[in-house]
Amino acid sequence: MNYKIALIKGDGIGPEVVNEAVGVLEAVGEKFGHTFEFVDVLLGGCATDAVGKSYPDGTAEKCRACDAVLLGAVGGPKWGSDKPPEQRPETALLAIRKDLGLYANLRPATLRPAMADACPLKKETAEKGIDLMMVRELTGGIYFGKRDRYQTEDRGLECTDLMAYSEQEIERIGRRAFELARLRRKKVSSVDKANVLETSRLWRSVMHRLAEEYPDVQYEDVLVDNCAMQLVRDPGQFDVVVTENMFGDILSDEASMVTGSIGLLPSASIGDTAPGLYEPIHGSAPDIAGQDKANPIATILSVAMMFRYSFQRAAEADAIEAAVDAVLAEGWRTPDIAEPGVTPIGTKEMGRLIRAHI
Ligand code: IPM
Ligand code: MG
């Protein structure tokens, strides 16, 4: 196959990690007989610097002409919240998610076998293993609701952010979660705040309707505060966790920390039509940008997700994941995951070793 891939290298360490992931794509292409065409797409702080806005006109169209999008990282202190919205990288991220219809954000939190010691939880907890898939609704809820800011008579300024969810939005993300669970350990935990929020009560009723359609999948409701607690108490209990946009933002960060290796975690954002967008969950780490210190593994594993979810090519995805596990098992570490006493290797060397295993 020939695949056309949009590359959003972005800011900070973004270009370095994307370069290594591209190298891995090419190695996979050689082994499995695929070719790739790459299209560079400007987005984020670098776009603000180049053309004055973080989400240049035509960005969505450029991406839509591709089979998948690979994103490094965007953001940095240079384009902080003191800047107008059109110059901020976050604005561009939200816009591309919405414009490409990427309503399902898949964030696996996996404790890779060679990294069990990195888990900050009790040894017995780590030994049970962690392999959960956070499915976060990505184009609705409070992130995209109406905002307001107005002057009150006696209480100064007041602001509102509206959280809205429709049955249709809940059903499509719910279905994704149940379908994914069927390919995994067949358990869905739906996270809400139904004891307080009306959107959560609707969420729960739609999920219950879906649960009846998937009798082979075990289903449970979990309140968001309890979920935050369970994630550090016993993360091994979770398989697929599905939740609304903001709860998912918060819980996916928590889940990633629980594995102890944020530099290893990929993500996929998908909708009903191509292209899907693939990116590491870590940020742009401007403090180490350009120093060959960044860990490219999360981006490389995002390419594995691209093969699995956009191209329906599990063998290629398995090959990438196996190569990463092999390199980790041999003891190679970038600085972020190097235990004391281990001499770390650089971004490029890590990429080279993984390619060699493919
Ligand atoms: C994420 C990030 C974004 C979000 C920010 C940068 C807008 O935290 O992808 O989780 O909140 O969705
Ligand atoms: Mg976040």
Side-chain angles (χ1 to χ4, degrees), residues 44-61:
C46 55
T48 300
D49 287 351
V51 301
K53 42 188 169 182
S54 61
Y55 191 61
D57 300 341
T59 301
E61 289 69 25

Side-chain angles (χ1 to χ4, degrees), residues 90 93-94 97 107 136 143 249:
E90 293 78 11
L93 263 187
L94 298 186
R97 288 173 183 171
R107 295 187 171 184
R136 168 187 176 193
Y143 272 65
D249 177 44

Side-chain angles (χ1 to χ4, degrees), residues 34-56:
H34 306 304
T35 51
F36 302 97
E37 189 184 330
F38 297 107
V39 181
D40 275 307
V41 174
L42 196 62
L43 181 147
C46 55
T48 300
D49 287 351
V51 301
K53 42 188 169 182
S54 61
Y55 191 61

